[in-house]
Amino acid sequence: SVIETHNYLNYAIMILLAVNLYSENTDALDKIVPYAAVSVITMSLIGLYQKIFLHTQSVNSTMINANIFAGYLILSVPLFFKNIRNPLFAAAAILGLLSLILTRSVAAIGGLACAFFIVRLGLVRGGILSLLCGTILILTGFNITALNDRFLLWKSALTLIYQHPFTGTGPGTFELVYPSVKAAGQSSLYAHSYFLQLCSDLGIAAFLFAAVFIARRVFLNAPSGLKIALIAVLIQNVFDFNLLILSNGILFWLLLGILCSTQVESIRV
């Protein structure tokens, strides 16, 4: 769709702006973290209000649903670990982690834990531990009905990829073409997997290009807090779609752009 194409262009422009604006400023990430901390504290307090006074089962703060709020939190909270002795960052980290638990988002909580293992223990040992923990979370934490619904959505997305392997169905068209392949009784605007929807929208070649670009940026000299944040949200989006939501998408691509800028500067040096 025109709207989704516009979003993709915005993300590309955001990376280019971040690279050009911050390439001479190696502490660019440190300058935006305080704003992220204030945002997390504010949204977490709203989430706590929902839990305490409104008895909300899964808090979503100002977001559409709890999973999207959880995605925002795991993109933000790891950025505070570097200066955790700072009262502002400590408060943001504590409130953010508490709110993350209250979202009850298994994919987000598991994604953050797995990202921490991978960054701290290395790709091999951390990956093995992550697979073990992820399997346990999937088997014990996911609602069986919700998991079955996801499998059906993923099957439909794979069918679309098989039907349109090279060009995809077009940016933002999943909700339009999904009815032609959906299982009986199913209805959704999203594939509930960012990667499958990206592949079905843009085709295999574009998906592989994006995947390689992101992977190379994340695993090439990334600061540990930023690396944890990006890996965590990518793991969550294996099971979810919140990177397709503009608020989380903008933050993700902005952080990736700043990461690219620091890597460009390190190459120059």
Side-chain angles (χ1 to χ4, degrees), residues 127-146:
I128 293 172
L129 186 56
S130 296
L131 284 174
L132 177 61
C133 292
T135 301
I136 294 173
L137 279 173
I138 289 173
L139 294 177
T140 61
F142 268 107
N143 178 280
I144 298 299
T145 301

Side-chain angles (χ1 to χ4, degrees), residues 70-176:
Y72 181 82
L73 290 172
I74 62 176
L75 264 175
S76 304
V77 170
L79 304 179
F80 311 140
F81 295 162
K82 179 182 177 181
N83 298 308
I84 197 65
R85 293 184 179 180
N86 181 302
L88 176 65
F89 298 151
I94 292 170
L95 288 172
L97 289 172
L98 177 58
S99 295
L100 178 61
I101 294 171
L102 294 178
T103 65
R104 301 176 64 185
S105 175
V106 176
I109 295 170
L112 183 59
C114 292
F116 181 83
F117 294 146
I118 291 171
V119 173
R120 294 300 182 185
L121 301 179
L123 188 57
V124 176
R125 287 192 300 164
I128 293 172
L129 186 56
S130 296
L131 284 174
L132 177 61
C133 292
T135 301
I136 294 173
L137 279 173
I138 289 173
L139 294 177
T140 61
F142 268 107
N143 178 280
I144 298 299
T145 301
L147 194 59
N148 183 61
D149 289 341
R150 275 177 166 77
F151 283 139
L152 292 174
L153 286 166
W154 296 344
K155 181 180 178 182
S156 298
L158 288 170
T159 300
L160 291 173
I161 294 170
Y162 176 78
Q163 292 176 349
H164 308 274
F166 302 112
T167 61
T169 59
T173 57
F174 180 83
E175 64 178 289
L176 302 176

Side-chain angles (χ1 to χ4, degrees), residues 43-44 47 59-61 63 65-73 99 103:
M43 296 180 71
S44 295
V59 302
N60 64 310
S61 188
M63 299 293 193
N65 63 47
N67 288 326
I68 296 173
F69 180 38
Y72 181 82
L73 290 172
S99 295
T103 65

